[in-house]
Amino acid sequence: MGDSSADWAGISWTFLAEVRRRSPLVQCITNFVSMDLMANTLLAAGASPAMLHSLQELPDFTPNADALCVNVGTLTADWLPAMKLAAELAVRSGRPWVLDPVAAGASGFRLNACRALVGLKPTVIRGNGSEIIALANASVGSTKGVDSSHDSKDAVEAAKSLAQASEAIVAVSGAVDIITDGKRVVGASNGVPMMQNITATGCSVTALISAFVAVDPSRAFEATASALSIFGIAGEIGMEMAKGPASLRMHLIDSLYGLDQAAVLSFVKISSI
Ligand SMILES: Nc1ncnc2c1ncn2[C@@H]1O[C@H](COP(=O)(O)OP(=O)(O)O)[C@@H](O)[C@H]1O
Ligand SMILES: Cc1ncsc1CCOP(=O)(O)O
Ligand SMILES: [Mg+2]
């Protein structure tokens, strides 16, 4: 169970304020679809994104990044060695790293790659319901490509068992975002359904989790729940001005950039499950 007495609103604001104050450097090895929105999400939150994935420069660069985000969205065999080396370098340097197992159940190749990455000790794994179920059960199928065919609440047990097996914090996004360390489970219910109609919102919230974990790796559970809630709040405020997915994309980024303490303290919706 989660800690029902936690001051989640205060915790979430502290993480956002720390990201703005320290501007952590977040290395992203990500898919071609998400690079732009992910970098702009990190900048709007006050972090410093770098989309570097060349195997040759990882030994110089990765140990100096404050966090690493690895996303397998447009995976091919030639990208995998860089993802693995970057994860190893992050762990060796005591830096947190976060895995987004996009479409983990879409093929055996992708599932095996994701399982190998899980073995390299990610600090956090964030996926949608179908991705977390596929990873936890090591099963191909029951997915709709990069989109989920499961409600996040269908994946609570899968998330707990994946967290226990991997020793990572596991987050399942959806109408209610589920966050677990294998024992505690909390739900973050911010956000609007139209966020699903913008490609790379999932990838971008995973990058935001990386920035939040960067400023306090010892509180990865709290950082993950806070990042999901804050991104959802930016979506809620953005939706008040949006006419559809394209303008929501713009207003979400503007709202994340402009979020103030009063809005965070009144909008955060995180509670025990
Ligand atoms: N039905 C919903 N209501 C509110 N927010 C949602 C809903 N579905 C997804 N979100 C939010 O959209 C973002 C992307 O989540 P999701 O679509 O599950 O990821 P992915 O794009 O990886 O499948 C997350 O911040 C999540 O909280
Ligand atoms: C459409 C698409 N195809 C391969 S990666 C990708 C982006 C997926 O982004 P998200 O998981 O955030 O929806
Ligand atoms: Mg995704």
Side-chain angles (χ1 to χ4, degrees):
M1 295 291 281
D3 179 359
S4 54
S5 64
D7 169 21
W8 279 109
I11 291 168
S12 299
W13 171 251
T14 301
F15 271 102
L16 180 60
E18 274 300 286
V19 168
R20 286 174 175 172
R21 191 177 71 79
R22 287 171 46 189
S23 190
L25 173 59
V26 181
Q27 180 185 358
C28 305
I29 302 184
T30 191
N31 65 74
F32 299 115
V33 184
S34 71
M35 285 183 184
D36 177 90
L37 187 62
M38 183 182 283
N40 278 303
T41 297
L42 287 168
L43 285 169
S48 179
M51 283 37 200
L52 269 76
H53 56 257
S54 163
L55 201 49
Q56 288 73 19
E57 59 188 346
L58 296 178
D60 289 336
F61 187 80
T62 305
N64 295 315
D66 296 302
L68 167 72
C69 177
V70 175
N71 175 306
V72 299
T74 48
L75 188 66
T76 55
D78 49 333
W79 275 57
L80 198 49
M83 292 176 176
K84 289 181 176 170
L85 178 62
E88 282 164 1
L89 288 166
V91 169
R92 223 179 289 158
S93 318
R95 308 288 200 228
W97 79 275
V98 180
L99 174 65
D100 191 325
V102 179
S107 69
F109 164 67
R110 197 174 277 258
L111 181 65
N112 286 338
C114 289
R115 281 164 57 78
L117 289 165
V118 169
L120 297 175
K121 295 267 162 237
T123 315
V124 182
I125 303 166
R126 194 297 308 171
N128 62 38
S130 295
E131 290 160 352
I132 296 302
I133 289 170
L135 252 190
N137 300 341
S139 61
V140 174
S142 72
T143 178
K144 200 171 29 158
V146 303
D147 291 328
S148 189
S149 50
H150 294 87
D151 192 283
S152 55
K153 286 193 170 160
D154 300 340
V156 173
E157 289 312 313
K160 283 174 81 174
S161 74
L162 181 61
Q164 283 160 10
S166 65
E167 296 176 9
I169 303 301
V170 174
V172 190
S173 56
V176 179
D177 301 314
I178 309 287
I179 302 95
T180 182
D181 60 3
K183 291 196 198 93
R184 295 176 288 174
V185 185
V186 296
S189 4
N190 295 107
V192 291
M194 198 177 283
M195 289 164 77
Q196 295 167 96
N197 299 109
I198 307 168
T199 192
T201 45
C203 306
S204 299
V205 80
T206 303
L208 191 64
I209 291 168
S210 311
F212 277 38
V213 175
V215 298
D216 193 352
S218 68
R219 301 181 81 206
F221 179 77
E222 289 81 359
T224 302
S226 299
L228 283 156
S229 178
I230 294 276
F231 192 70
I233 292 171
E236 288 169 22
I237 296 173
M239 195 66 214
E240 288 168 19
M241 293 165 276
K243 295 198 177 93
S247 49
L248 177 58
R249 187 181 193 275
M250 176 180 78
H251 289 303
L252 190 156
I253 296 293
D254 283 355
S255 301
L256 180 58
Y257 178 80
L259 261 188
D260 62 16
Q261 185 171 12
V264 172
L265 294 185
S266 65
F267 286 133
V268 164
K269 278 194 217 140
I270 303 175
S271 56
S272 302
I273 286 182

